[in-house]
Amino acid sequence: MIENNTIFLIPLMPLVGFLINGLLGKGLRRSTIGMVACAMPVISFAVALSLFIKFSQFGLECDLTFRQIMIPWIGVGSIGVPFGFAVDHLTIAMTLMITGVGSLIHIYATGYMSHDRSPERFFAYMNLFMFSMLVLVLADNILLMFVGWEGVGLCSYLLIGYWYEDILNAKAGKKAFVTNRVGDFGFLLGILLIFALMTGNGTPSLSFAKINEVIPKFAPVTYEVPVIGGSIGAVTLICLLLFVGAAGKSAQIPLYVWLPDAMARPTPVSALIHAATMVTSGVYMIARLAPVFMASPAALSVVATIGAVTALFAATIAVTQNDIKKVLAYSTISQLGYMFLAMGVAAFGAGIFHLITHAFFKACLFLCAGSVMHAMAGELDMQKMGGLRKWMPITFWTMLVSTMAISGWPLFAGFFSKDEILWKTLEKGMTSQQGTLFYVLYGIGLLAAVFTAFYMFRLVVLTFLGKPRMSEETQKHLHESPSSMTIPLMILAFLAAVGGFMWLPGVIGHGKFAWFHDFLAIREPAAHGAHDMAGAEWTSLALSVALALGASGLSYLVYTRGRSAVEKLAKTVYLTRAMYRFSLNKYWVDEIYEAFVIKPIYYGSIALWLFVDVVIIDGLVNLAGILVKWGSTIFRNLQTGFIGSYAVTVLVGVLVVLWYLILQVLK
Amino acid sequence: MEHLIAEMKPLSPVLIVFTGALAALLAGVFSKKENSYALPYIGITTVAFAFVALLNYWGRGMIWLLQGAIRIDSFGLYISAIILIACLITFLASIGYAKRLGFEHGEYISLLLFASGGMMLLAMSADLVTLFLSLEIMSISIYALAGMARHRQKCNEAALKYFILGAFSTAFLLFGIALIYGATASTKIHAIAQVQGLKPLLVAGLGMLIVGFGFKVGAAPFHVWVPDAYEGAPATVTGFMAVAVKAAGFAALLRVILIAFPGTWAEYWWPVFWAVALLTMFLGNIIAVFQKNVKRMLAYSGIAHTGYILIGLVSLGIAGSEPYIPGMKALMNPIAGGMLFYLLAYTFMTLGAFAVISLAARDEDDLETLDDFSGLSQRKPVVALAMAVFLISMAGVPPFGGFIAKFYVFKGAIDVQGMLLASGVKEYHALALAILGIITSMFSVYYYLRVVWFMYFREPLEDRPSVAPSWGLHFVIFASSVAIVVLGILPSGFFSVASRGAEALVR
């Protein structure tokens, strides 16, 4: 632990930006608002970079934590929770990504939002989001993390419903908020259980360092499960509750439904919140509490399974969507699934690696989509695009690079990170006792990768290649976006292309070109005899490459040449038609939730209102009121105003008092 | 003579007040009618001097005067301070008001000062004869004050009723004193406890005293005079009656009951007060619910407050009758301190509320029906806000003084109950009283908030021309609301002063 008193600047700057634009924004000029909003994350990035340089001075493999305790925050009984920040390797990686990608997106937004009516509100929310996200990441205790966690949820809600004049946007914001509440409930229960165990152990602290040290010791403790019977480990229960929170925030099955709807927001928000940063906070939380999760193999298996299934499930939906942002939304859910798969196989470093590369290419993809929308006057339907390459070369090329990255083309960032996850899964299958599960998950992961390459190339082909399908009128207005938008695109595309070289696979780099792996230094189980399995790793690599390239090529062929054949297939053959329908309608999950969750709660609450509230509670309250009214009327009439009756009242009182006292004395 | 003067020196606060009363009376007679505006300032100056003299004796221990007829101690000084505050507020609020109602005479100032002097003497009396005399100085002044606005029929009626019933109850008090003297051959309050007199006679005297004091503090079933007198009397006088008479009455009650009948004597009196407190809280709160006249509503609410304060006395009685329980004695001083704190908080909120009422609605009537309060927040926003503070404080809602006062009193009862249960005594009288007190105070929220509702959610009625209130009235309303907030937020300093005050009765 090294004290460092500059950490607080990182979250403080965006807060300052929020206050300036939020309080004074109405009176500021458009350019000033944008300048303030962009300057703050850039300064934060610079501070984070200076911290990173300090880390490298100590040597990258040296396991350090910088810490800054601001003020005591909550002191109740034996527990004291400070308002404190802690920065270790994991944190600084996240912080650099958030402030770096965040700054680029802010710059992009100054161009994208140039025609908006109230930019000060938009940028105030964006900066507030940056503040909350940085608090979430930098927090040195789980309670402060929860503050940031709720803060980002709030900002997400505010920004999804940013164009609130449209009721659909407001509804999407509400859906995101309510779905996240379900997850947050689990997270909060997990925190409370941690708190109970920590105080019970005599170490009343909620700092991550202490939690990671103490909680794994509770692995042998089990709780009886009432009603169902059986028992559950204390640590497993904590991990599952925390994972419910992570699944809500990071859009995993079954709580992913809010993310596609949330595409109503301005596109920079999609790129910042719902691709690069906020949705990854669930992954970050698990990585932060890695030792706790390591203590519960059962919970890890659940995490891995949910992650892999989500990866495939979302990818199959993305294949048939026509809304360009919906495709990217399902793609995000799918990629987050990969990250959870990595967490579940205890490959925490690989998961964070994918988180970072995903931030590069997915932010780039969203911003490209935004650039397309900007040119097409808000059009989202890919069926009405096509041939845009001619008008928007920069957007096309950057998008193509990012697409190759996400599809896993060799040497692009996504190839290295995704392949690392798949390989770790396979390795786990080969080494652990319950190998079958992980072999199956590996297969699911591969299949999802095939779908990923397919739908991403479908997107690029439909949007940029082929014949233009938009109206003549629209074609006249087509233009490349301004440089404030294209420069961030190029930077992100560059990172998407080369970002993978931070961590080369073991068989290629032989452990030498993997500084990011060393840097993260999250305790992972040592790979048993990695060299013996070099052959397997090579095979896995080759398989991924072949599938990625094959699926990309197939997609290209299908959507440039054989569209009519595919459409015929989707409409005639019984099996393919059914599959097409399932995918297009997103497996009717929203409808199922509506029928089995939302409607019962809705009608249940109406019943509670009409019976419990109106009849019982209001009835009791009114009854009390009526009784008092009667009493009041009776007693009021005793106050006649006649002095004689008053005197009699007093006299009766005197007699009763005397009678009682004399009886007492004589007793 | 010199010896006498030296001995009378500690009595200077009371003597200053009486001197001021005489000066005001003479000034009233010899000054012209145009100069009558100066009269309240005589009163204000007198009170200020008396207050300084009083502070001079705070913390000097107890001083016996006039062969033990008077004892100047922290309790008497605390109550005297409350009375002087009440008197000062009444003077300030009367500026302008008295003229409008046509009683801006020297007698008004003089009578207020005489009443205050009598009350202070009452709080310091150590002898039943002195006590009775000072009670009469107070009562007769108040009877006259209640009828001050001669042109109002209701006012005359109120004064007459108050006088007749007052005489009726004073008879019981005097009879009680006579019985006690018969039983113990002494009128010294501090001596009665030591005398092994005729027990039945003594207890009958105790009962008579309870009735007499119960009348003065407005405890049921001896409260019957309160609604008519409060409603009829001019608003400033009503405020003074409600606060100062109650404070003085409680002073006499507490001193006589706790000093003359301490310890296990309490087994006789606490059940009586238990029943009285319960009846007082219930009747006061329930009847207040449907009053359309705010003055009358405040009269019933004043009765209810008496009930809450009596909870403290019952707790003291229960604690005193179980002297063998360890730790019980330590509870007694905070309970008595809580009662005295309650009187202080009650002073500000009641006088503030009556000051608002004395703002004219029509030419010379008080602002007293609920309709008069309609839309007050639009006509006089600051006054309406202050009134809301007073009423919400009376309802016992934080962060105002009324909440803290109720909290101390209820907490005292619950502490005593906890101590009883801890030592294995399975009787629940204290707890029951606290719970019933809380339930009845829930009723009170309705009628207090109803006034607030009228002020804020009703449109103002057209035919309510308003008179510009004087600076004194504004100052009183402002200062009282500030005091209520301060008492609610920083109560501990005031509570420790109140506990010092209570040390003279229970340690």
Side-chain angles (χ1 to χ4, degrees), chain A residues 256-267:
Chain A
Y256 70 91
V257 286
W258 62 272
L259 188 59
D261 285 34
M263 290 296 141
R265 66 201 93 106
T267 308

Side-chain angles (χ1 to χ4, degrees), chain A residues 569-631:
Chain A
L569 200 64
K571 281 180 187 144
T572 51
V573 181
Y574 183 76
L575 180 68
T576 47
R577 194 178 63 183
M579 282 164 63
Y580 175 75
R581 287 266 176 84
F582 264 101
S583 169
L584 185 67
N585 292 304
K586 306 151 202 163
Y587 299 90
W588 289 281
V589 169
D590 277 329
E591 286 75 9
I592 292 169
Y593 281 6
E594 176 81 20
F596 289 99
V597 180
I598 298 168
K599 279 275 145 72
I601 290 176
Y602 178 73
Y603 289 118
S605 63
I606 285 186
L608 284 178
W609 165 50
L610 285 180
F611 181 67
V612 176
D613 198 58
V614 173
V615 177
I616 297 183
I617 296 178
D618 285 5
L620 281 177
V621 171
N622 288 337
L623 182 69
I626 290 167
L627 287 179
V628 171
K629 193 173 167 178
W630 283 352

Side-chain angles (χ1 to χ4, degrees), chain B residues 285-304:
Chain B
N285 279 315
I286 285 187
I287 305 181
V289 164
F290 276 93
Q291 297 302 327
K292 288 195 177 57
N293 184 306
V294 178
K295 251 165 120 183
R296 205 171 169 85
M297 181 275 273
L298 284 177
Y300 284 109
S301 112
I303 294 170

Side-chain angles (χ1 to χ4, degrees), chain A residues 625 628-629 631-633 635-636 639 641-643 646-651 653-654 657-658 660-662 664-666, chain B residues 161 164-165 168 172 200 203-204 207-208 211 221-224 227-228 268 271-272 283 286-287 289-291 296 300 443:
Chain A
V628 171
K629 193 173 167 178
S632 181
T633 314
F635 291 119
R636 196 176 44 172
Q639 195 80 24
F642 290 112
I643 209 155
Y646 291 174
V648 170
T649 313
V650 173
L651 199 60
V654 172
V657 169
L658 285 181
Y660 170 81
L661 284 176
I662 301 291
Q664 287 294 309
V665 175
L666 296 180
Chain B
K161 277 183 180 169
I164 294 172
L165 287 170
F168 186 58
F172 288 110
V203 170
M208 294 293 188
V211 173
F222 319 112
H223 68 287
V224 278
D228 290 2
Y268 291 107
V272 175
L283 279 184
I286 285 187
I287 305 181
V289 164
F290 276 93
Q291 297 302 327
R296 205 171 169 85
Y300 284 109
F443 298 161

